[in-house]
């Protein structure tokens, strides 16, 4: 068998019904051969959970619930039990399972938004701080190599002082789903008890916010927000969650910015964009063309950095750290994509989990993915936006 240091990490799955997010995590876990899915509680319905585990394309241990999984896996010897768990349930089922796995000493990667409320998110942050158990929020798009390159360019001051940031995530999901039978009852994202205070802002606005914060290092200090509902979902105002979200933000360091999200923007698929404008240059990035980073410096020709491996000593990126240079998944000219972005998150988390098992884990590195503190920042942003919207778009401190 494997030496302990070589054995692949065992990963547990919780939830993941849509297939999309389960498959993306599963591919990412397998991509390096150093991690594998070994156990799963795939549904809130116990018999469905066992059925789905039985249909998995290779043998895994099926569990009726995450509670049964924790009990059974905790009783197994190291090497046989799960080394970390990925939580892919609707938003209302992030907090309790995350807390339970952490309390059992099991590292967690949890889907976004971290929880339903700031109070829950802060309680998880306190637990992570107290126990020093690895924890990540699965903000996918930080895993693109170009996101990491953009972070390097902005944070090393190559654009000068940042003036303006425009972060947006536009899609047409609610416009499309509103034409399907069962709408809106079958869509948990439009149910405040399952989704949280905001649908669109929490679901994809937090991705745009995270991209802004990750690349620039700036924080939203104050905001004025509009949360709008364009697709009719019934008469009860308490049940009307937004499908269109706009927040004008005052950022740290004197910059301003927009964080926008929309699920009614017909024609947009997963159109997430980031534009950062500094006093001497700007960068532009788009998720749908995720291997390209466009850089403009005043009085210089536009530079388009594309698919890695392009820098040389004379380029203004000549001082790029070796770790960033070597982290592209494929040689230049070949295509990376969403699965590689997810894999980069799991690769970094594997490092955290192995360090934790070896007793030398020093806490999450925010350069390699979203931390529990980033999850708290997402919830604070959403709560402030909801408060602003309720109060006539008043400016609210975050
Ligand atoms: N990072 C990303 O890019 C990304 C993309 C899509 C979805 N997500 C997130 O993933 C989460 C799930 O979204 P989805 O669209 O896949 O939802 P979904 O409704 O398609 O699937 C959720 C599954 O979780 C199961 N479930 C609910 N409670 C459970 C429990 N206690 N134990 C076990 N299983 C349980 C449900 O039965 C369902 O099968 C959400 O938080 C969403 O925000 C993230």
């Amino acid at each position: 068998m494997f030496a302990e240091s070589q054995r692949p990490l065992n990963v547990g799955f919780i939830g993941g019904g849509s297939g999309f997010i389960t498959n993306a995590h599963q591919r990412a876990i397998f991509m390096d051969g150093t991690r594998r899915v070994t156990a799963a509680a795939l549904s809130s319905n116990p018999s469905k959970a066992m059925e789905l585990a039985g249909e998995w394309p290779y043998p895994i241990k099926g569990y009726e619930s995450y509670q049964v999984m924790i009990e059974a896996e905790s009783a197994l010897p190291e090497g046989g039990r799960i080394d970390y768990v990925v939580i892919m349930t609707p938003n209302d089922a992030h907090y309790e399972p995350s807390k339970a796995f952490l309390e059992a000493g099991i590292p967690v990667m949890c889907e976004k938004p971290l929880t339903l409320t700031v109070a829950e998110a802060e309680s998880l942050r306190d637990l992570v701080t107290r126990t020093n158990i690895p924890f990540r929020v699965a903000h996918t798009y930080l895993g693109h190599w170009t996101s990491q390159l953009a972070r390097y360019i902005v944070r090393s001051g190559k654009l000068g002082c940042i003036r303006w940031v425009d972060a947006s995530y536009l899609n047409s999901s609610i416009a499309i789903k509103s034409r399907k039978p069962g709408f809106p009852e079958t869509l948990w994202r439009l149910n405040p008890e399952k989704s949280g205070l905001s649908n669109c802002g929490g679901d994809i606005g937090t991705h745009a916010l995270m991209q802004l914060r990750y690349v620039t290092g700036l924080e939203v200090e104050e905001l004025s927000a509009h949360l709008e509902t364009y697709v009719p979902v019934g008469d009860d105002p308490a049940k009307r969650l937004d499908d269109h979200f706009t927040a004008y933000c005052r950022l740290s360091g004197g910059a301003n910015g927009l964080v926008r999200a929309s699920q009614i923007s017909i024609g947009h698929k997963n159109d997430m964009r980031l534009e950062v404008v500094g006093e001497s240059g700007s960068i532009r990035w788009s998720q749908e063309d995720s291997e390209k980073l466009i850089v403009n410096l005043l009085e210089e020709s536009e530079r388009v950095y594309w698919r890695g491996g392009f820098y040389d000593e004379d380029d203004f990126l000549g001082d790029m750290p070796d770790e960033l240079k070597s982290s592209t998944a494929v040689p230049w000219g070949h295509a990376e994509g969403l699965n590689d972005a997810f894999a980069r998150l799991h690769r970094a988390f594997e490092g955290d989990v192995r360090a934790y098992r070896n007793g030398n884990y020093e806490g999450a590195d925010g350069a390699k993915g979203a931390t529990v503190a980033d999850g708290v920042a997402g919830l604070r942003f959403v709560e402030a936006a909801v408060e602003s919207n309720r109060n006539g778009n008043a400016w609210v401190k975050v």
Side-chain angles (χ1 to χ4, degrees):
M1 279 306 284
F2 301 104
E4 177 54 23
S5 60
Q6 290 175 312
R7 76 164 175 84
L9 295 187
N10 300 325
V11 183
F13 270 19
I14 310 298
S18 68
F20 158 62
I21 202 67
T22 330
N23 289 336
H25 279 289
Q26 190 200 189
R27 289 189 200 104
I29 283 164
F30 273 99
M31 226 170 229
D32 299 314
T34 55
R35 309 171 289 270
R36 58 187 183 181
V37 179
T38 57
L42 291 166
S43 168
S44 53
N45 174 324
S47 54
K48 183 79 182 162
M50 296 306 285
E51 191 186 315
L52 288 172
E55 290 168 2
W56 203 255
Y58 48 88
I60 56 170
K61 289 172 276 180
Y63 290 109
E64 291 179 331
S65 69
Y66 75 84
Q67 293 94 332
V68 178
M69 181 192 282
I70 291 174
E71 204 181 327
E73 293 286 317
S74 300
L76 296 173
E78 175 135 354
R81 64 174 177 248
I82 52 170
D83 296 292
Y84 74 93
V85 71
V86 186
I87 296 176
M88 298 167 282
T89 49
N91 307 348
D92 67 315
H94 289 178
Y95 174 67
E96 291 295 345
S98 291
K99 182 166 169 283
F101 279 101
L102 288 170
E103 283 170 346
I106 298 168
V108 176
M109 181 182 287
C110 181
E111 267 303 340
K112 42 49 63 177
L114 177 55
T115 53
L116 288 188
T117 64
V118 170
E120 287 177 346
E122 288 180 342
S123 143
L124 282 185
R125 180 205 55 201
D126 294 347
L127 184 56
V128 169
T129 307
R130 198 164 65 246
T131 56
N132 197 33
I133 296 171
F135 188 97
R136 289 288 181 177
V137 186
H139 274 293
T140 317
Y141 308 107
L142 309 192
H144 285 292
W145 189 80
T146 40
S147 299
Q148 305 187 350
L149 177 63
R151 176 182 164 102
Y152 171 71
I153 291 173
V154 174
R155 291 188 179 219
S156 57
K158 294 181 192 304
L159 308 182
C161 188
I162 302 308
R163 291 174 165 162
W164 174 255
V165 189
D166 193 338
S168 59
Y169 195 149
L170 311 182
N171 72 34
S172 42
S173 58
I174 298 293
I176 292 169
K177 285 172 184 165
S178 67
R179 302 297 177 99
K180 302 254 159 91
F183 178 88
E185 286 72 24
T186 49
L187 209 57
W188 64 257
R189 282 177 170 77
L190 291 177
N191 176 351
E193 285 166 18
K194 292 200 159 288
S195 194
L197 293 170
S198 156
N199 158 44
C200 187
D203 194 30
I204 55 175
T206 52
H207 271 314
L209 171 77
M210 190 63 232
Q211 204 73 9
L212 179 160
R213 294 178 55 254
Y214 177 76
V215 168
T216 66
L218 302 178
E219 295 292 346
V220 178
E221 293 186 335
E222 212 177 353
L223 58 76
S224 162
H226 293 252
L227 276 69
E228 290 152 329
T229 309
Y230 287 101
V231 175
V233 288
D235 300 330
D236 183 352
K239 293 196 173 157
R240 283 169 63 93
L241 288 183
D242 53 306
D243 50 34
H244 197 73
F245 175 102
T246 312
Y248 194 100
C249 306
R250 304 235 183 276
L251 304 172
S252 50
N256 291 319
L258 263 182
V259 176
R260 292 190 300 133
S262 177
Q263 295 163 324
I264 56 148
S265 292
I266 295 166
H268 293 267
K269 294 167 184 150
N270 274 288
D271 190 2
M272 178 177 167
R273 292 169 193 245
L274 182 73
E275 180 160 340
V276 182
V277 181
E279 61 191 355
S280 55
S282 73
I283 58 158
R284 291 206 307 274
W285 179 85
S286 160
Q287 194 285 138
E288 291 189 356
D289 205 0
S290 66
E291 294 183 89
K292 186 189 281 180
L293 186 68
I294 300 171
V295 181
N296 278 278
L297 300 179
L298 278 180
E299 289 139 20
E300 292 191 28
S301 308
E302 181 169 273
R303 298 155 195 243
V304 179
Y305 293 101
W306 188 69
R307 288 195 175 159
F310 37 69
Y311 35 81
D312 60 39
E313 296 310 314
D314 298 331
D315 191 87
F316 93 137
L317 295 177
D319 58 358
M320 190 194 297
D322 287 341
E323 193 187 10
L324 180 55
K325 280 184 195 167
S326 63
S327 75
T328 50
V330 286
W332 67 344
H334 293 295
E336 278 199 22
L338 186 81
N339 294 323
D340 292 277
F342 266 111
R344 213 171 260 110
L345 300 186
H346 280 281
R347 197 170 296 137
F349 197 54
E350 175 182 342
D352 291 355
V353 172
R354 288 193 189 276
Y356 173 65
R357 287 175 3 146
N358 295 335
N360 53 14
Y361 175 60
E362 291 178 353
D365 177 355
K368 295 186 170 166
T371 64
V372 70
D374 291 320
V376 173
L379 265 296
R380 281 199 183 134
F381 171 77
V382 168
E383 280 198 3
V386 170
E387 187 188 333
S388 166
N389 184 63
R390 274 196 195 128
N391 294 299
N393 326 108
W395 284 95
V396 171
K397 291 207 184 304
V398 179

